[in-house]
Short mmCIF file of all heavy atoms in Angstrom, two decimals:
data_model
loop_
_atom_site.label_atom_id
_atom_site.label_comp_id
_atom_site.label_asym_id
_atom_site.label_seq_id
_atom_site.Cartn_x
_atom_site.Cartn_y
_atom_site.Cartn_z
N ALA A 332 -7.15 -25.05 16.88
CA ALA A 332 -6.55 -24.29 15.86
C ALA A 332 -5.69 -25.15 14.94
O ALA A 332 -5.77 -25.01 13.66
CB ALA A 332 -5.75 -23.06 16.42
N VAL A 333 -4.80 -26.03 15.49
CA VAL A 333 -3.91 -26.85 14.72
C VAL A 333 -4.74 -27.90 13.89
O VAL A 333 -4.48 -28.10 12.79
CB VAL A 333 -2.92 -27.58 15.67
CG1 VAL A 333 -2.19 -28.61 14.95
CG2 VAL A 333 -2.06 -26.51 16.25
N LEU A 334 -5.71 -28.44 14.62
CA LEU A 334 -6.60 -29.45 13.89
C LEU A 334 -7.26 -28.87 12.68
O LEU A 334 -7.37 -29.48 11.62
CB LEU A 334 -7.53 -30.10 14.84
CG LEU A 334 -7.05 -31.16 15.66
CD1 LEU A 334 -8.04 -31.61 16.75
CD2 LEU A 334 -6.65 -32.44 14.87
N SER A 335 -7.83 -27.57 12.79
CA SER A 335 -8.51 -26.88 11.69
C SER A 335 -7.54 -26.72 10.59
O SER A 335 -7.99 -26.86 9.47
CB SER A 335 -9.24 -25.69 12.20
OG SER A 335 -8.35 -24.75 12.57
N LEU A 336 -6.35 -26.31 10.96
CA LEU A 336 -5.29 -26.15 9.88
C LEU A 336 -4.96 -27.47 9.15
O LEU A 336 -4.79 -27.48 7.92
CB LEU A 336 -4.06 -25.57 10.40
CG LEU A 336 -4.14 -24.06 10.92
CD1 LEU A 336 -2.90 -23.72 11.61
CD2 LEU A 336 -4.39 -23.12 9.75
N LEU A 337 -4.89 -28.52 9.89
CA LEU A 337 -4.54 -29.81 9.35
C LEU A 337 -5.71 -30.33 8.44
O LEU A 337 -5.41 -30.86 7.44
CB LEU A 337 -4.17 -30.84 10.40
CG LEU A 337 -2.96 -30.62 11.17
CD1 LEU A 337 -2.87 -31.62 12.37
CD2 LEU A 337 -1.74 -30.85 10.23
N LYS A 338 -6.93 -30.12 8.85
CA LYS A 338 -8.05 -30.58 8.08
C LYS A 338 -8.06 -29.80 6.86
O LYS A 338 -8.63 -30.30 5.74
CB LYS A 338 -9.35 -30.39 8.80
CG LYS A 338 -9.51 -31.34 9.94
CD LYS A 338 -10.87 -31.18 10.76
CE LYS A 338 -11.04 -32.05 11.85
NZ LYS A 338 -12.21 -31.82 12.59
N GLU A 339 -7.72 -28.54 6.68
CA GLU A 339 -7.76 -27.81 5.55
C GLU A 339 -6.46 -28.09 4.69
O GLU A 339 -6.32 -27.49 3.55
CB GLU A 339 -7.73 -26.33 5.82
CG GLU A 339 -9.02 -25.91 6.36
CD GLU A 339 -9.00 -24.46 6.94
OE1 GLU A 339 -8.00 -23.77 6.69
OE2 GLU A 339 -9.96 -24.00 7.48
N HIS A 340 -5.59 -28.93 5.09
CA HIS A 340 -4.37 -29.28 4.31
C HIS A 340 -3.55 -27.98 4.10
O HIS A 340 -2.86 -27.91 3.06
CB HIS A 340 -4.68 -29.99 3.10
CG HIS A 340 -5.41 -31.33 3.31
ND1 HIS A 340 -4.85 -32.35 3.81
CD2 HIS A 340 -6.71 -31.67 3.02
CE1 HIS A 340 -5.79 -33.34 3.95
NE2 HIS A 340 -6.88 -32.90 3.45
N GLY A 341 -3.66 -27.05 4.97
CA GLY A 341 -2.88 -25.77 4.79
C GLY A 341 -1.55 -25.90 5.41
O GLY A 341 -1.26 -26.91 6.07
N PRO A 342 -0.76 -24.88 5.20
CA PRO A 342 0.64 -24.89 5.87
C PRO A 342 0.39 -24.83 7.50
O PRO A 342 -0.47 -24.13 7.90
CB PRO A 342 1.31 -23.61 5.28
CG PRO A 342 0.13 -22.74 4.99
CD PRO A 342 -0.93 -23.63 4.60
N LEU A 343 1.23 -25.51 8.08
CA LEU A 343 1.31 -25.44 9.60
C LEU A 343 2.56 -24.75 9.98
O LEU A 343 3.65 -25.20 9.96
CB LEU A 343 1.26 -26.86 10.10
CG LEU A 343 1.11 -27.00 11.65
CD1 LEU A 343 -0.19 -26.26 12.05
CD2 LEU A 343 0.97 -28.41 11.94
N SER A 344 2.37 -23.50 10.29
CA SER A 344 3.51 -22.61 10.60
C SER A 344 3.12 -21.67 11.69
O SER A 344 1.86 -21.61 12.10
CB SER A 344 4.03 -21.75 9.36
OG SER A 344 2.96 -20.86 9.04
N LYS A 345 3.99 -20.95 12.34
CA LYS A 345 3.71 -20.04 13.38
C LYS A 345 2.73 -18.94 12.85
O LYS A 345 1.77 -18.59 13.49
CB LYS A 345 4.98 -19.48 13.99
CG LYS A 345 4.77 -18.33 14.88
CD LYS A 345 6.13 -17.81 15.33
CE LYS A 345 5.97 -16.62 16.30
NZ LYS A 345 7.22 -16.11 16.75
N GLN A 346 2.99 -18.55 11.60
CA GLN A 346 2.20 -17.47 11.03
C GLN A 346 0.78 -18.02 10.85
O GLN A 346 -0.25 -17.29 11.08
CB GLN A 346 2.77 -16.92 9.72
CG GLN A 346 4.10 -16.25 10.00
CD GLN A 346 4.04 -15.13 11.11
OE1 GLN A 346 3.00 -14.36 11.06
NE2 GLN A 346 5.01 -15.07 11.91
N SER A 347 0.62 -19.14 10.23
CA SER A 347 -0.77 -19.69 10.00
C SER A 347 -1.43 -19.94 11.27
O SER A 347 -2.64 -19.71 11.42
CB SER A 347 -0.75 -20.99 9.16
OG SER A 347 -0.09 -22.02 9.83
N LEU A 348 -0.81 -20.37 12.27
CA LEU A 348 -1.38 -20.69 13.64
C LEU A 348 -1.85 -19.31 14.24
O LEU A 348 -2.98 -19.25 14.74
CB LEU A 348 -0.38 -21.29 14.61
CG LEU A 348 -0.91 -21.55 16.01
CD1 LEU A 348 -2.18 -22.43 15.99
CD2 LEU A 348 0.20 -22.15 16.92
N LEU A 349 -1.09 -18.32 14.07
CA LEU A 349 -1.45 -16.99 14.60
C LEU A 349 -2.69 -16.34 13.82
O LEU A 349 -3.65 -15.78 14.47
CB LEU A 349 -0.31 -15.94 14.52
CG LEU A 349 0.83 -16.09 15.51
CD1 LEU A 349 2.02 -15.26 15.22
CD2 LEU A 349 0.26 -15.83 16.96
N ARG A 350 -2.74 -16.57 12.53
CA ARG A 350 -3.86 -16.17 11.81
C ARG A 350 -5.13 -16.91 12.21
O ARG A 350 -6.13 -16.27 12.40
CB ARG A 350 -3.64 -16.48 10.29
CG ARG A 350 -2.94 -15.35 9.53
CD ARG A 350 -3.01 -15.47 8.01
NE ARG A 350 -2.40 -16.84 7.61
CZ ARG A 350 -1.16 -16.98 7.20
NH1 ARG A 350 -0.28 -15.92 7.50
NH2 ARG A 350 -0.83 -18.11 6.83
N ARG A 351 -5.03 -18.24 12.39
CA ARG A 351 -6.22 -19.02 12.82
C ARG A 351 -6.66 -18.63 14.22
O ARG A 351 -7.81 -18.43 14.46
CB ARG A 351 -5.80 -20.47 12.80
CG ARG A 351 -7.03 -21.40 13.20
CD ARG A 351 -8.21 -21.18 12.36
NE ARG A 351 -7.98 -20.98 10.93
CZ ARG A 351 -8.08 -21.95 10.00
NH1 ARG A 351 -8.40 -23.24 10.32
NH2 ARG A 351 -7.69 -21.74 8.73
N LEU A 352 -5.66 -18.35 15.10
CA LEU A 352 -6.15 -17.92 16.47
C LEU A 352 -6.76 -16.56 16.44
O LEU A 352 -7.70 -16.34 17.23
CB LEU A 352 -4.79 -17.88 17.39
CG LEU A 352 -4.21 -19.25 17.71
CD1 LEU A 352 -2.82 -19.14 18.33
CD2 LEU A 352 -5.10 -20.00 18.76
N ARG A 353 -6.21 -15.63 15.65
CA ARG A 353 -6.93 -14.33 15.50
C ARG A 353 -8.32 -14.50 15.03
O ARG A 353 -9.13 -13.76 15.45
CB ARG A 353 -6.07 -13.41 14.65
CG ARG A 353 -4.72 -13.01 15.32
CD ARG A 353 -3.99 -12.01 14.47
NE ARG A 353 -2.75 -11.64 15.20
CZ ARG A 353 -1.55 -12.02 14.72
NH1 ARG A 353 -1.42 -12.62 13.55
NH2 ARG A 353 -0.44 -11.68 15.33
N ASP A 354 -8.49 -15.35 13.94
CA ASP A 354 -9.85 -15.56 13.54
C ASP A 354 -10.75 -16.18 14.61
O ASP A 354 -11.94 -15.71 14.76
CB ASP A 354 -9.84 -16.59 12.33
CG ASP A 354 -9.11 -16.05 11.06
OD1 ASP A 354 -9.03 -14.77 10.96
OD2 ASP A 354 -8.76 -16.85 10.17
N MET A 355 -10.15 -17.12 15.34
CA MET A 355 -10.98 -17.75 16.41
C MET A 355 -11.31 -16.62 17.46
O MET A 355 -12.44 -16.58 17.99
CB MET A 355 -10.25 -18.81 17.19
CG MET A 355 -10.01 -20.04 16.25
SD MET A 355 -8.89 -21.32 16.91
CE MET A 355 -9.67 -21.70 18.47
N GLU A 356 -10.31 -15.80 17.78
CA GLU A 356 -10.59 -14.70 18.75
C GLU A 356 -11.75 -13.76 18.27
O GLU A 356 -12.55 -13.34 19.03
CB GLU A 356 -9.33 -13.94 19.07
CG GLU A 356 -9.51 -12.82 20.02
CD GLU A 356 -8.18 -11.99 20.16
OE1 GLU A 356 -7.39 -11.86 19.18
OE2 GLU A 356 -8.04 -11.43 21.26
N ALA A 357 -11.73 -13.41 17.05
CA ALA A 357 -12.67 -12.45 16.50
C ALA A 357 -14.03 -13.06 16.52
O ALA A 357 -15.06 -12.34 16.66
CB ALA A 357 -12.26 -12.07 15.08
N SER A 358 -14.16 -14.33 16.33
CA SER A 358 -15.51 -14.96 16.26
C SER A 358 -16.00 -15.56 17.61
O SER A 358 -17.16 -15.98 17.65
CB SER A 358 -15.56 -16.03 15.15
OG SER A 358 -14.68 -17.10 15.59
N GLU A 359 -15.04 -15.59 18.60
CA GLU A 359 -15.50 -16.18 19.88
C GLU A 359 -16.49 -15.33 20.63
O GLU A 359 -16.19 -14.12 20.88
CB GLU A 359 -14.23 -16.40 20.71
CG GLU A 359 -14.41 -17.09 22.07
CD GLU A 359 -15.07 -18.37 21.91
OE1 GLU A 359 -14.60 -19.36 21.21
OE2 GLU A 359 -16.27 -18.58 22.54
N LYS A 360 -17.47 -15.90 21.16
CA LYS A 360 -18.49 -15.11 21.91
C LYS A 360 -18.36 -15.18 23.40
O LYS A 360 -18.58 -14.29 24.16
CB LYS A 360 -19.86 -15.63 21.61
CG LYS A 360 -20.21 -15.53 20.06
CD LYS A 360 -21.66 -15.40 19.82
CE LYS A 360 -22.02 -15.40 18.39
NZ LYS A 360 -21.16 -14.58 17.46
N ASP A 361 -17.64 -16.22 23.85
CA ASP A 361 -17.33 -16.34 25.33
C ASP A 361 -16.17 -15.57 25.70
O ASP A 361 -15.06 -15.63 25.13
CB ASP A 361 -17.05 -17.87 25.66
CG ASP A 361 -16.84 -18.08 27.05
OD1 ASP A 361 -17.81 -18.27 27.81
OD2 ASP A 361 -15.59 -18.17 27.48
N ASP A 362 -16.44 -14.66 26.83
CA ASP A 362 -15.30 -13.75 27.11
C ASP A 362 -14.05 -14.40 27.69
O ASP A 362 -12.93 -13.97 27.37
CB ASP A 362 -15.83 -12.82 28.25
CG ASP A 362 -16.83 -11.77 27.73
OD1 ASP A 362 -16.87 -11.47 26.45
OD2 ASP A 362 -17.72 -11.31 28.51
N ARG A 363 -14.21 -15.58 28.43
CA ARG A 363 -13.07 -16.31 28.96
C ARG A 363 -12.34 -16.94 27.95
O ARG A 363 -11.04 -16.76 27.86
CB ARG A 363 -13.55 -17.18 30.01
CG ARG A 363 -12.40 -18.07 30.59
CD ARG A 363 -12.99 -19.00 31.75
NE ARG A 363 -11.87 -19.86 32.06
CZ ARG A 363 -11.91 -21.27 31.91
NH1 ARG A 363 -13.05 -21.67 31.28
NH2 ARG A 363 -11.01 -21.93 32.27
N ARG A 364 -12.92 -17.47 27.03
CA ARG A 364 -12.24 -18.17 25.89
C ARG A 364 -11.47 -17.11 25.06
O ARG A 364 -10.34 -17.36 24.64
CB ARG A 364 -13.17 -19.01 25.02
CG ARG A 364 -13.67 -20.22 25.67
CD ARG A 364 -14.69 -21.04 24.86
NE ARG A 364 -14.28 -21.42 23.57
CZ ARG A 364 -13.79 -22.56 23.23
NH1 ARG A 364 -13.72 -23.51 24.13
NH2 ARG A 364 -13.43 -22.79 21.97
N ARG A 365 -12.14 -15.97 24.81
CA ARG A 365 -11.47 -14.89 23.91
C ARG A 365 -10.31 -14.41 24.67
O ARG A 365 -9.24 -14.15 24.04
CB ARG A 365 -12.53 -13.89 23.65
CG ARG A 365 -12.03 -12.88 22.61
CD ARG A 365 -13.15 -11.88 22.20
NE ARG A 365 -13.91 -11.22 23.26
CZ ARG A 365 -15.27 -11.58 23.56
NH1 ARG A 365 -15.88 -12.51 22.90
NH2 ARG A 365 -15.76 -10.95 24.56
N ALA A 366 -10.39 -14.31 26.05
CA ALA A 366 -9.18 -13.76 26.72
C ALA A 366 -8.04 -14.77 26.74
O ALA A 366 -6.89 -14.40 26.60
CB ALA A 366 -9.63 -13.54 28.27
N VAL A 367 -8.36 -16.04 26.86
CA VAL A 367 -7.34 -17.09 26.86
C VAL A 367 -6.65 -17.03 25.44
O VAL A 367 -5.45 -17.16 25.33
CB VAL A 367 -7.87 -18.43 27.17
CG1 VAL A 367 -6.77 -19.51 26.99
CG2 VAL A 367 -8.23 -18.44 28.73
N ILE A 368 -7.51 -16.95 24.33
CA ILE A 368 -6.98 -16.87 22.88
C ILE A 368 -6.03 -15.74 22.83
O ILE A 368 -4.95 -15.79 22.26
CB ILE A 368 -8.16 -16.85 21.99
CG1 ILE A 368 -8.88 -18.19 21.94
CG2 ILE A 368 -7.51 -16.63 20.55
CD1 ILE A 368 -10.19 -18.13 21.14
N ALA A 369 -6.42 -14.57 23.43
CA ALA A 369 -5.53 -13.36 23.36
C ALA A 369 -4.18 -13.64 24.04
O ALA A 369 -3.20 -13.21 23.51
CB ALA A 369 -6.29 -12.20 24.00
N GLU A 370 -4.20 -14.33 25.20
CA GLU A 370 -3.03 -14.69 25.80
C GLU A 370 -2.09 -15.55 24.98
O GLU A 370 -0.91 -15.43 24.86
CB GLU A 370 -3.30 -15.32 27.18
CG GLU A 370 -3.90 -14.39 28.17
CD GLU A 370 -4.41 -15.04 29.48
OE1 GLU A 370 -3.94 -16.35 29.67
OE2 GLU A 370 -5.16 -14.51 30.25
N ILE A 371 -2.74 -16.65 24.32
CA ILE A 371 -2.10 -17.51 23.47
C ILE A 371 -1.32 -16.79 22.31
O ILE A 371 -0.18 -16.97 22.10
CB ILE A 371 -2.99 -18.63 23.02
CG1 ILE A 371 -3.52 -19.50 23.98
CG2 ILE A 371 -2.23 -19.43 21.89
CD1 ILE A 371 -4.71 -20.33 23.53
N ILE A 372 -2.10 -15.86 21.75
CA ILE A 372 -1.57 -15.07 20.68
C ILE A 372 -0.41 -14.32 21.09
O ILE A 372 0.67 -14.24 20.41
CB ILE A 372 -2.71 -14.10 20.05
CG1 ILE A 372 -3.71 -14.98 19.38
CG2 ILE A 372 -2.01 -13.11 19.07
CD1 ILE A 372 -4.97 -14.29 18.90
N ALA A 373 -0.45 -13.63 22.21
CA ALA A 373 0.62 -12.85 22.82
C ALA A 373 1.88 -13.69 22.97
O ALA A 373 3.03 -13.35 22.71
CB ALA A 373 0.21 -12.10 24.10
N GLU A 374 1.68 -14.92 23.55
CA GLU A 374 2.74 -15.74 23.89
C GLU A 374 3.43 -16.33 22.69
O GLU A 374 4.61 -16.39 22.52
CB GLU A 374 2.30 -16.97 24.83
CG GLU A 374 3.48 -17.83 25.24
CD GLU A 374 3.02 -18.95 26.18
OE1 GLU A 374 1.92 -18.73 26.93
OE2 GLU A 374 3.73 -19.89 26.32
N VAL A 375 2.57 -16.75 21.72
CA VAL A 375 3.18 -17.35 20.42
C VAL A 375 3.89 -16.21 19.68
O VAL A 375 5.02 -16.54 19.17
CB VAL A 375 2.03 -17.97 19.63
CG1 VAL A 375 2.56 -18.31 18.23
CG2 VAL A 375 1.44 -19.16 20.26
N SER A 376 3.31 -15.05 19.64
CA SER A 376 3.89 -13.94 18.92
C SER A 376 5.32 -13.51 19.49
O SER A 376 6.20 -13.09 18.90
CB SER A 376 3.03 -12.69 19.03
OG SER A 376 1.87 -12.93 18.20
N ALA A 377 5.36 -13.62 20.88
CA ALA A 377 6.62 -13.22 21.52
C ALA A 377 7.69 -14.22 21.45
O ALA A 377 8.83 -13.92 21.50
CB ALA A 377 6.26 -12.97 23.08
N ARG A 378 7.34 -15.42 21.18
CA ARG A 378 8.36 -16.55 21.01
C ARG A 378 9.04 -16.50 19.69
O ARG A 378 8.50 -16.40 18.63
CB ARG A 378 7.81 -17.85 21.32
CG ARG A 378 7.43 -18.14 22.76
CD ARG A 378 7.07 -19.48 22.97
NE ARG A 378 6.65 -19.63 24.37
CZ ARG A 378 6.69 -20.79 25.01
NH1 ARG A 378 7.11 -21.85 24.38
NH2 ARG A 378 6.38 -20.84 26.25
N SER A 379 10.37 -16.46 19.88
CA SER A 379 11.18 -16.54 18.53
C SER A 379 11.62 -17.98 18.41
O SER A 379 12.17 -18.51 19.27
CB SER A 379 12.32 -15.52 18.72
OG SER A 379 12.84 -15.14 17.45
N THR A 380 11.34 -18.53 17.26
CA THR A 380 11.74 -19.90 17.04
C THR A 380 13.31 -19.90 16.67
O THR A 380 13.92 -18.98 16.35
CB THR A 380 10.99 -20.48 15.76
OG1 THR A 380 11.50 -19.67 14.61
CG2 THR A 380 9.60 -20.36 15.93
N PRO A 381 13.93 -21.11 16.92
CA PRO A 381 15.38 -21.17 16.63
C PRO A 381 15.69 -20.80 15.26
O PRO A 381 16.68 -20.19 14.90
CB PRO A 381 15.72 -22.62 17.00
CG PRO A 381 14.65 -23.04 18.05
CD PRO A 381 13.47 -22.31 17.57
N PHE A 382 14.74 -21.19 14.27
CA PHE A 382 14.93 -20.86 12.96
C PHE A 382 14.99 -19.43 12.72
O PHE A 382 15.74 -18.87 12.04
CB PHE A 382 13.84 -21.53 12.06
CG PHE A 382 13.97 -21.18 10.54
CD1 PHE A 382 14.93 -21.65 9.78
CD2 PHE A 382 13.12 -20.21 10.10
CE1 PHE A 382 15.05 -21.24 8.45
CE2 PHE A 382 13.18 -19.80 8.78
CZ PHE A 382 14.11 -20.30 7.85
N ALA A 383 14.06 -18.70 13.29
CA ALA A 383 13.94 -17.32 13.28
C ALA A 383 15.21 -16.62 13.78
O ALA A 383 15.70 -15.56 13.23
CB ALA A 383 12.67 -16.68 13.90
N GLN A 384 15.75 -17.12 14.99
CA GLN A 384 16.85 -16.54 15.52
C GLN A 384 18.11 -16.71 14.55
O GLN A 384 18.86 -15.85 14.40
CB GLN A 384 17.15 -17.23 16.87
CG GLN A 384 16.14 -16.77 17.94
CD GLN A 384 16.26 -17.67 19.17
OE1 GLN A 384 16.93 -18.74 19.18
NE2 GLN A 384 15.65 -17.27 20.25
N ARG A 385 18.19 -17.95 13.99
CA ARG A 385 19.37 -18.13 13.12
C ARG A 385 19.21 -17.35 11.82
O ARG A 385 20.17 -16.82 11.32
CB ARG A 385 19.31 -19.67 12.62
CG ARG A 385 19.81 -20.58 13.68
CD ARG A 385 20.18 -22.02 13.14
NE ARG A 385 19.04 -22.55 12.36
CZ ARG A 385 18.00 -23.32 12.98
NH1 ARG A 385 18.10 -23.57 14.26
NH2 ARG A 385 17.09 -23.83 12.17
N LYS A 386 17.98 -17.11 11.31
CA LYS A 386 17.80 -16.30 10.22
C LYS A 386 18.13 -14.85 10.41
O LYS A 386 18.83 -14.15 9.70
CB LYS A 386 16.25 -16.36 9.71
CG LYS A 386 16.02 -15.55 8.49
CD LYS A 386 14.50 -15.66 8.12
CE LYS A 386 14.21 -14.90 6.90
NZ LYS A 386 12.80 -14.92 6.57
N LYS A 387 17.75 -14.35 11.66
CA LYS A 387 18.11 -12.99 12.08
C LYS A 387 19.66 -12.83 12.18
O LYS A 387 20.17 -11.86 11.75
CB LYS A 387 17.45 -12.59 13.32
CG LYS A 387 17.52 -11.18 13.69
CD LYS A 387 16.69 -10.87 14.92
CE LYS A 387 16.79 -9.39 15.34
NZ LYS A 387 16.01 -9.11 16.50
#
Side-chain angles (χ1 to χ4, degrees):
V333 170
L334 279 175
S335 68
L336 290 170
L337 289 173
K338 285 180 182 178
E339 293 174 1
H340 303 288
L343 189 56
S344 66
K345 179 180 173 178
Q346 295 307 316
S347 64
L348 178 61
L349 286 170
R350 276 193 300 274
R351 182 55 45 97
L352 288 167
R353 288 183 185 112
D354 291 344
M355 290 170 61
E356 180 185 27
S358 64
E359 183 59 57
K360 301 209 184 316
D361 183 84
D362 290 339
R363 178 172 170 249
R364 287 174 59 98
R365 194 171 45 252
V367 172
I368 294 171
E370 289 175 15
I371 295 167
I372 291 170
E374 184 174 338
V375 170
S376 296
R378 289 189 180 205
S379 207
T380 63
F382 175 76
Q384 290 170 346
R385 286 193 307 271
K386 182 178 177 183
K387 187 175 181 178

